[in-house]
Amino acid sequence: DSGVTQTPKHLITATGQRVTLRCSPRSGDLSVYWYQQSLDQGLQFLIQYYNGEERAKGNILERFSAQQFPDLHSELNLSSLELGDSALYFCASSVQSGANVLTFGAGSRLTVL
Amino acid sequence: GQSLEQPSEVTAVEGAIVQINCTYQTSGFYGLSWYQQHDGGAPTFLSYNALDGLEETGRFSSFLSRSDSYGYLLLQELQMKDSASYFCAGGDSNYQLIWGAGTKLIIKP
């Protein structure tokens, strides 16, 4: 157990739908990162929050949004889902904002049918 | 642009030594990290080099040469459980991690 908790572990939904993925960072970590990993692909950075504020944005689609709450948990919202959104979504956390050492959660596997 | 290049696949024999290379082009580069990911699993941190030289952690070692924009991960006494994908990641001037595409390590008995 890495200390980073992601829910749900698996999610199957239909095109056009909206889902919310949740992440609780490791205790003491202020920074949360979201990554997307499609089958046999690398990690695509989506967005980062630090202590409740957006710190960096990667290749995140406009249909996707995220936020970090006062208790530091974060949610990634995916809307108007397309088949190509099927992927593993990882949350990672770190103590600082510019960290080289990230602790990843187990991921949420999203399947869009 | 900023990028890290690593081989897509490397094959080695159980018990042997394998080196996975990573070359990078990033502005304001400030360190190189390595992560391991088993199929269907989460990436886990292996090693970090802030300065030039070799860092050793058990069977794994990581090396960085900033003047050559190059680093590598060395795995010794390979075990079947080392079969995984290995990612290098470098910090850029905005203190964000730029990731390589990953190297799939295949180990044969």
mmCIF file of all heavy atoms in Angstrom, chain A residues 8 10 18 21 35 42 51-52 61-62 71-72 77 79 88:
data_model
loop_
_atom_site.group_PDB
_atom_site.id
_atom_site.type_symbol
_atom_site.label_atom_id
_atom_site.label_comp_id
_atom_site.label_asym_id
_atom_site.label_seq_id
_atom_site.Cartn_x
_atom_site.Cartn_y
_atom_site.Cartn_z
ATOM 1 N N PRO A 8 -12.907 4.881 -8.087
ATOM 2 C CA PRO A 8 -12.993 3.424 -7.964
ATOM 3 C C PRO A 8 -11.801 2.751 -8.636
ATOM 4 O O PRO A 8 -11.058 3.387 -9.374
ATOM 5 C CB PRO A 8 -14.285 3.121 -8.720
ATOM 6 C CG PRO A 8 -14.338 4.173 -9.774
ATOM 7 C CD PRO A 8 -13.761 5.418 -9.163
ATOM 8 N N HIS A 10 -12.117 0.158 -10.736
ATOM 9 C CA HIS A 10 -12.576 -0.136 -12.093
ATOM 10 C C HIS A 10 -13.883 0.594 -12.331
ATOM 11 O O HIS A 10 -14.702 0.718 -11.413
ATOM 12 C CB HIS A 10 -12.810 -1.643 -12.286
ATOM 13 C CG HIS A 10 -11.597 -2.478 -12.039
ATOM 14 N ND1 HIS A 10 -10.641 -2.693 -13.003
ATOM 15 C CD2 HIS A 10 -11.188 -3.155 -10.943
ATOM 16 C CE1 HIS A 10 -9.691 -3.474 -12.506
ATOM 17 N NE2 HIS A 10 -9.986 -3.762 -11.271
ATOM 18 N N ARG A 18 -20.494 10.868 -17.931
ATOM 19 C CA ARG A 18 -19.544 11.616 -17.101
ATOM 20 C C ARG A 18 -19.191 10.771 -15.889
ATOM 21 O O ARG A 18 -20.064 10.112 -15.320
ATOM 22 C CB ARG A 18 -20.204 12.921 -16.659
ATOM 23 C CG ARG A 18 -19.448 13.719 -15.612
ATOM 24 C CD ARG A 18 -20.321 14.848 -15.074
ATOM 25 N NE ARG A 18 -19.728 15.476 -13.905
ATOM 26 C CZ ARG A 18 -18.988 16.581 -13.948
ATOM 27 N NH1 ARG A 18 -18.744 17.173 -15.112
ATOM 28 N NH2 ARG A 18 -18.499 17.091 -12.838
ATOM 29 N N LEU A 21 -13.350 10.543 -10.744
ATOM 30 C CA LEU A 21 -12.341 9.715 -10.105
ATOM 31 C C LEU A 21 -11.818 10.467 -8.889
ATOM 32 O O LEU A 21 -11.603 11.679 -8.935
ATOM 33 C CB LEU A 21 -11.191 9.415 -11.076
ATOM 34 C CG LEU A 21 -11.593 8.870 -12.447
ATOM 35 C CD1 LEU A 21 -10.352 8.618 -13.307
ATOM 36 C CD2 LEU A 21 -12.423 7.617 -12.316
ATOM 37 N N TYR A 35 -2.405 11.512 -13.951
ATOM 38 C CA TYR A 35 -1.816 11.004 -15.179
ATOM 39 C C TYR A 35 -2.810 10.073 -15.878
ATOM 40 O O TYR A 35 -3.599 9.383 -15.226
ATOM 41 C CB TYR A 35 -0.539 10.204 -14.884
ATOM 42 C CG TYR A 35 0.660 11.034 -14.513
ATOM 43 C CD1 TYR A 35 0.897 11.413 -13.200
ATOM 44 C CD2 TYR A 35 1.569 11.434 -15.487
ATOM 45 C CE1 TYR A 35 2.012 12.171 -12.867
ATOM 46 C CE2 TYR A 35 2.692 12.188 -15.157
ATOM 47 C CZ TYR A 35 2.904 12.549 -13.848
ATOM 48 O OH TYR A 35 4.002 13.299 -13.525
ATOM 49 N N GLY A 42 2.893 5.368 -22.594
ATOM 50 C CA GLY A 42 3.562 6.010 -21.476
ATOM 51 C C GLY A 42 2.576 6.799 -20.637
ATOM 52 O O GLY A 42 1.365 6.756 -20.833
ATOM 53 N N ASN A 51 -1.649 22.154 -2.598
ATOM 54 C CA ASN A 51 -2.332 22.786 -1.467
ATOM 55 C C ASN A 51 -3.604 23.521 -1.912
ATOM 56 O O ASN A 51 -3.863 24.655 -1.490
ATOM 57 C CB ASN A 51 -1.387 23.755 -0.763
ATOM 58 C CG ASN A 51 -1.783 23.991 0.685
ATOM 59 O OD1 ASN A 51 -2.510 23.199 1.288
ATOM 60 N ND2 ASN A 51 -1.334 25.094 1.249
ATOM 61 N N GLY A 52 -4.340 22.891 -2.787
ATOM 62 C CA GLY A 52 -5.632 23.420 -3.200
ATOM 63 C C GLY A 52 -5.631 24.269 -4.453
ATOM 64 O O GLY A 52 -6.703 24.587 -4.982
ATOM 65 N N LEU A 61 -7.661 17.481 -21.680
ATOM 66 C CA LEU A 61 -8.719 17.905 -22.592
ATOM 67 C C LEU A 61 -9.678 18.858 -21.886
ATOM 68 O O LEU A 61 -9.818 18.830 -20.662
ATOM 69 C CB LEU A 61 -9.482 16.678 -23.094
ATOM 70 C CG LEU A 61 -8.663 15.638 -23.854
ATOM 71 C CD1 LEU A 61 -9.523 14.396 -24.119
ATOM 72 C CD2 LEU A 61 -8.138 16.195 -25.159
ATOM 73 N N GLU A 62 -10.363 19.655 -22.687
ATOM 74 C CA GLU A 62 -11.334 20.602 -22.106
ATOM 75 C C GLU A 62 -12.506 19.864 -21.471
ATOM 76 O O GLU A 62 -13.163 20.389 -20.565
ATOM 77 C CB GLU A 62 -11.841 21.548 -23.194
ATOM 78 C CG GLU A 62 -10.822 22.603 -23.579
ATOM 79 C CD GLU A 62 -11.425 23.691 -24.442
ATOM 80 O OE1 GLU A 62 -12.659 23.706 -24.610
ATOM 81 O OE2 GLU A 62 -10.660 24.518 -24.960
ATOM 82 N N ASP A 71 -9.316 19.377 2.267
ATOM 83 C CA ASP A 71 -8.708 18.248 2.977
ATOM 84 C C ASP A 71 -7.641 17.568 2.120
ATOM 85 O O ASP A 71 -7.116 16.524 2.504
ATOM 86 C CB ASP A 71 -9.775 17.239 3.393
ATOM 87 C CG ASP A 71 -10.432 16.556 2.201
ATOM 88 O OD1 ASP A 71 -10.178 16.965 1.054
ATOM 89 O OD2 ASP A 71 -11.214 15.609 2.416
ATOM 90 N N LEU A 72 -7.326 18.156 0.983
ATOM 91 C CA LEU A 72 -6.258 17.766 0.048
ATOM 92 C C LEU A 72 -6.617 16.609 -0.865
ATOM 93 O O LEU A 72 -5.819 16.301 -1.764
ATOM 94 C CB LEU A 72 -4.942 17.459 0.790
ATOM 95 C CG LEU A 72 -4.381 18.623 1.589
ATOM 96 C CD1 LEU A 72 -3.102 18.204 2.308
ATOM 97 C CD2 LEU A 72 -4.108 19.837 0.704
ATOM 98 N N ASN A 77 -12.704 14.921 -13.035
ATOM 99 C CA ASN A 77 -13.989 14.772 -13.692
ATOM 100 C C ASN A 77 -13.799 14.629 -15.195
ATOM 101 O O ASN A 77 -13.138 15.465 -15.826
ATOM 102 C CB ASN A 77 -14.881 15.988 -13.412
ATOM 103 C CG ASN A 77 -15.119 16.181 -11.929
ATOM 104 O OD1 ASN A 77 -15.718 15.340 -11.280
ATOM 105 N ND2 ASN A 77 -14.624 17.280 -11.378
ATOM 106 N N SER A 79 -15.928 14.166 -18.714
ATOM 107 C CA SER A 79 -17.285 14.279 -19.248
ATOM 108 C C SER A 79 -17.302 14.011 -20.750
ATOM 109 O O SER A 79 -16.251 13.967 -21.399
ATOM 110 C CB SER A 79 -17.853 15.670 -18.954
ATOM 111 O OG SER A 79 -17.065 16.664 -19.580
ATOM 112 N N LEU A 88 -5.990 3.813 -18.000
ATOM 113 C CA LEU A 88 -5.719 3.820 -16.565
ATOM 114 C C LEU A 88 -5.441 5.262 -16.163
ATOM 115 O O LEU A 88 -4.651 5.944 -16.832
ATOM 116 C CB LEU A 88 -4.474 2.981 -16.262
ATOM 117 C CG LEU A 88 -4.626 1.577 -15.694
ATOM 118 C CD1 LEU A 88 -3.279 0.897 -15.590
ATOM 119 C CD2 LEU A 88 -5.329 1.592 -14.357
#
